[in-house]
Amino acid sequence: MTLDFPPDERARLAALRNYGFVEGESLAEFDDLARIAAQIADAPIAAVTMVDENRQVFVGSCGLEVHGTPRDQSFCAHAIGRPDRLLEVADARLDARFRDNPLVVGEPGIRSYFGAPIVDEEGFALGALCVIDVR
């Protein structure tokens, strides 16, 4: 999968590091936000992610057993490439960026994805709030 990196990736990563998110460390407030997003969208999975050089870390989630994925499998890594807009993937099986993704062809069997970039005060997209459906 080919990723489009944000224009100033180095500065974005520095901003992300300043927040100090740690892999595997879920925050209750972000879990609550993910749960509310899943309820509103009537979807089984939602997450608050932060995307670093190599992976996306779930700092809050609902419906997921893992704490992150490699960046090259991350839908959110695509969402941060356009911090000014929502990334909508209606059917991942039909989208050239995702149709061979292990998360689409294997578990959890992602079919649709909607991700809103999480943008800091300097305009850097650090991650995304996303909702995922398997239907």
Side-chain angles (χ1 to χ4, degrees), residues 20-35 46-50 57-68:
F21 293 108
V22 177
E23 183 173 4
E25 184 179 305
S26 178
L27 301 173
E29 295 86 355
F30 290 140
D31 285 338
D32 291 344
L33 182 58
R35 196 171 11 269
V48 178
T49 69
M50 297 295 150
V57 176
F58 302 140
V59 296
S61 66
C62 168
L64 292 169
E65 298 298 319
V66 297
H67 298 289

Side-chain angles (χ1 to χ4, degrees), residues 11 114 135:
F114 303 91
R135 299 174 271 180

Side-chain angles (χ1 to χ4, degrees), residues 47-104:
V48 178
T49 69
M50 297 295 150
V51 180
D52 71 15
E53 304 88 328
N54 302 308
R55 64 205 166 143
Q56 73 175 346
V57 176
F58 302 140
V59 296
S61 66
C62 168
L64 292 169
E65 298 298 319
V66 297
H67 298 289
T69 64
R71 186 172 178 162
D72 65 355
Q73 294 178 10
S74 168
F75 283 62
C76 295
H78 288 271
I80 66 169
R82 299 290 305 268
D84 59 333
R85 60 195 316 212
L86 177 75
L87 175 62
E88 179 179 346
V89 179
D91 189 337
R93 297 170 298 182
L94 304 177
D95 190 306
R97 296 170 294 180
F98 305 109
R99 67 175 158 234
D100 297 324
N101 186 304
L103 303 171
V104 173

